[in-house]
Structures are given as C-alpha cells and as structure tokens.
C-alpha cells in the first residue's frame, strides 16, 4: 500500500536528506522555527498540519477506542465453521436445510480435523489483532510526541522517516480492519469422499461469528429463595438457539450445600431457578449449547446474585442496653 501526504510539494522539492550547505551555526538556528526562511517555514507548517490531520482522522483517539472495543468483542464471540456451496455468499443459505444435506456427504473425521484448524486459525487471528492494535497505539504515541516537540528537524531533514512511519501505520490499519472479518478456511484434502457420491459438490468452508450471549443485568433479579434470569445476544439469530445455563452456590459451608449447583439446558432467553438458599451468593454463567460446527468459544458471561434474607426465625431482640421482649410474650407465640 502506498501512502501520500498531499499538499506538501514533495514532487517539487526533495527534503528527505539534510542539506549539505548548512554549517553548524545555521543548523543550530534551524532548531528554532521562528528563525527559518519563509519557504522552509511554510513547508514545516504544512507538514505539521498533515501529521495533525493523520492523528485526528486515521489514528484518532476515538477511532482507536472503537478498535479496542471491536477487538474485545471479537474475543468474546463464538466461532463456527460455515459450509457453503461455491456459488453462495455467506449468510445466503437456508440454516435449517443446507447443513443437514451437506453433512451427509462430508467425511466426519476430516471435518473434525478442519474444526481444529479453524480453532487454531481463530486463536492466531485474535492474537494478531491484539498485536496490530498495540502497534497502532505505539505509533500514535510516537507521532503525538513528535507533534508536540518544538524541534523542526523531523519535519524538514527527517521528513522521509516520518512519511515511512505514516505509511507503515496506514498499512497496519488496513491489516487490522481486514482481520476483524473471519476469513476462509483452506482445505488441503477433500471433505467429500469420492466413493458413493454421484456428483461431488463444490463447497468451501468459512469461519463465521456469533455475538456473545450476555446477561441482562437490569432484568436478572434475585428473590428470597429463587432467581429470575434474562440474557440476550446483540444480534438476534435467524433460527431459535439452545443455551446452557450453569449455577453454583459460592462459599458452601456444608457437604449438603455443595449440591447447590447444576447445568440446565434452556431453549429460551429466560429461566427461573427455585429452591435456593436465602441470603447467599450464587454464580450463574450462560453460553450457547455446543453444536457440531462450533470451533472456538473462549468466553462466557457470568453473573453473581445474592438472594434476599429470609424472615427472622424469632422475635427481634432489643437493642444493646435495652431489655428484650418479655418471656411471657415468647411463650404465647
């Protein structure tokens, strides 16, 4: 990729190397922008403006925050293998019919091997995204420090290095944006065996993502001995989904309390769990139920809720220094 800074007249005047006719005193004077010649001053200001424009548009703090948010979201997504005939685009197939027909033709052992390849490719892709984002953060910090420096030399004799740095960061940005979209899985072997297939279909494998499943923290509430849980995905699926809900009592005190846990399959985005203990903390996690095409799911949402205290077992004792309820009152209850 080529990157050009427009409006700097770089085709007319070459300033990538320091002029040989500057003696030491002239070079020291050049360190003060106020002592530069008008033409050199104009070039210096144009290049500062170009650098500032790059930092406020292509590499702005707002854009970097969006890149960070996007990366964190991708780390929480679920990744699947999507099987497509070569004439269809991702998302065009009928999710209820096409996979079943395709899986009847695909070699199960080879497909399991491709799932491992997909998991490895996804992990590498997420690591590369993190590395590219760190490069963008460092690049912006370096260029921001350069812009804040009073030294004019990087904008004059050293502008060639700055241009190369801008081009590198623009290329890193392009790579980052391209990598946020899951790509194609490359097959070394046929997934559909030749034997028994009258006509071998031309298929391709793609990595697809599903948005993370998260608890609705406003609508998930705890009562005295039960909880009402709600969750959602940011993008609603076309077909109904199955979920796996887990719960466990935190800090059990007896062997019997250790049984306060479980795994519950749920076919909706809401569920109530009863027969819990009052005034205790429970941890809940939710995720999509595992499917045949799932290759990587690094994250699941968790939520901790504390049930409400139960009613007092006896009359409320008096405050310190005050007498409690009379014994006759206790015997009457």
């Amino acid at each position: 990729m080529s990157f050009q800074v427009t409006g700097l007249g770089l085709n007319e005047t070459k300033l990538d190397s320091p002029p040989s006719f500057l003696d030491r005193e002239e070079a020291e004077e050049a360190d003060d922008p106020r002592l530069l010649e008008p033409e050199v001053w104009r070039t210096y200001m144009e290049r500062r403006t170009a650098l500032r424009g790059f930092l406020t548009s292509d590499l702005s703090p707002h854009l970097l925050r969006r890149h960070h948010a996007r990366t964190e979201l991708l780390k929480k997504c679920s990744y699947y293998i999507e099987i497509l005939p070569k004439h269809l685009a991702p998302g065009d197939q009928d999710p209820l019919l096409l996979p079943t027909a395709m899986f009847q033709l695909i070699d199960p052992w080879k497909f399991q091997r491709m799932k491992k390849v997909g998991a490895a490719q996804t992990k590498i892709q997420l690591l590369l995204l993190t590395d590219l984002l760190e490069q963008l953060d460092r690049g912006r910090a370096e260029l921001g420090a350069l812009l804040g420096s009073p030294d004019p030399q990087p904008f004059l004799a050293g502008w060639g290095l700055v241009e190369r740095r801008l081009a590198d960061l623009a290329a890193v940005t392009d790579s980052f944006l391209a990598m946020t979209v899951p790509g194609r899985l490359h097959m070394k072997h046929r997934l559909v065996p030749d034997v028994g297939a009258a006509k071998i279909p031309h298929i391709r494998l793609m990595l697809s993502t599903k948005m993370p499943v998260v608890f609705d923290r406003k609508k998930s509430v705890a009562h005295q001995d039960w909880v009402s849980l709600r969750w959602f995905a940011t993008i609603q699926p076309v077909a109904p989904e199955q979920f796996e809900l887990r719960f466990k009592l935190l800090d059990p005190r007896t062997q019997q309390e250790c049984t306060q846990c479980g795994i519950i399959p749920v076919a909706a985005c809401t569920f109530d769990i009863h027969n819990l203990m009052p005034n205790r903390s429970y941890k809940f996690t939710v995720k999509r139920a595992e499917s045949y095409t799932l290759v990587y799911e690094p994250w699941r949402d968790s939520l901790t809720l504390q049930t409400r205290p139960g009613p007092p077992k006896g009359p409320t004792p008096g405050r310190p220094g005050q007498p409690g309820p009379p014994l006759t009152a206790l015997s009457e209850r």
Side-chain angles (χ1 to χ4, degrees), residues 152-225:
Q153 290 304 315
F155 298 94
L156 298 175
W159 183 244
L161 295 176
V162 178
E163 279 192 310
R164 285 194 289 274
R165 186 67 173 131
L166 293 177
D168 290 342
L169 290 173
V172 171
T173 301
D174 289 344
S175 298
F176 175 86
L177 295 176
M179 202 164 292
T180 57
V181 180
R184 180 176 179 179
L185 281 173
H186 299 283
M187 298 178 290
K188 293 184 178 180
H189 308 284
R190 282 184 176 272
L191 289 180
V192 181
D194 296 339
V195 179
K199 184 179 181 181
I200 300 175
H202 295 284
I203 62 174
R204 56 196 172 108
L205 299 183
M206 302 287 294
L207 278 175
S208 64
T209 60
K210 289 185 179 181
M211 291 295 103
V213 179
V214 294
F215 281 109
D216 188 329
R217 281 158 170 77
K218 292 183 178 180
K219 296 182 179 180
S220 296
V221 293
H223 303 273
Q224 179 180 317
D225 59 353

Side-chain angles (χ1 to χ4, degrees), residues 215-231 270-274 276 280 282 284 303-308:
F215 281 109
D216 188 329
R217 281 158 170 77
K218 292 183 178 180
K219 296 182 179 180
S220 296
V221 293
H223 303 273
Q224 179 180 317
D225 59 353
W226 66 285
V227 295
S228 177
L229 300 173
R230 304 289 186 274
W231 57 87
T270 176
F271 195 79
D272 298 338
I273 301 179
H274 293 266
L276 301 181
R280 301 296 294 273
Y282 287 83
F284 307 91
L303 175 67
T304 300
L305 294 175
Q306 181 169 347
T307 53
R308 296 178 181 178

Side-chain angles (χ1 to χ4, degrees), residues 42-146:
R42 185 162 50 252
T43 301
Y44 165 72
M45 293 304 298
E46 287 176 350
R47 291 175 175 178
R48 283 185 62 88
T49 302
L51 179 57
R52 185 180 293 108
F54 181 84
L55 292 179
T56 56
S57 58
D58 301 68
L59 213 57
S60 68
H62 173 70
L63 198 58
L64 284 177
R65 285 194 295 269
R66 288 182 57 186
H67 291 340
H68 277 279
R70 176 65 175 170
T71 302
E72 290 305 311
L73 179 62
L74 289 173
K75 290 179 180 179
K76 296 178 179 180
C77 286
S78 305
Y79 293 83
Y80 297 81
I81 284 184
E82 192 171 3
I83 301 176
L84 293 173
K86 289 192 174 181
H87 65 278
L88 286 182
D92 286 350
Q93 79 278 20
D94 185 339
L96 300 178
L97 299 177
L98 182 62
T100 303
M102 285 293 182
F103 287 143
Q104 293 176 352
L105 301 175
I106 291 176
D107 185 315
W109 183 83
K110 292 182 179 179
F111 184 73
Q112 291 299 322
R113 187 165 63 177
M114 286 306 302
K115 287 175 62 175
K116 294 181 180 179
V117 173
Q121 181 172 316
T122 302
K123 294 176 184 178
I124 292 173
Q125 191 166 331
L126 292 175
L127 289 174
L128 288 176
L129 277 176
T130 302
D131 180 71
L132 292 173
L133 198 52
E134 291 176 354
Q135 293 184 45
L136 293 178
D137 288 334
R138 288 196 303 267
R140 196 191 192 286
E142 294 169 2
L143 294 178
L146 178 63

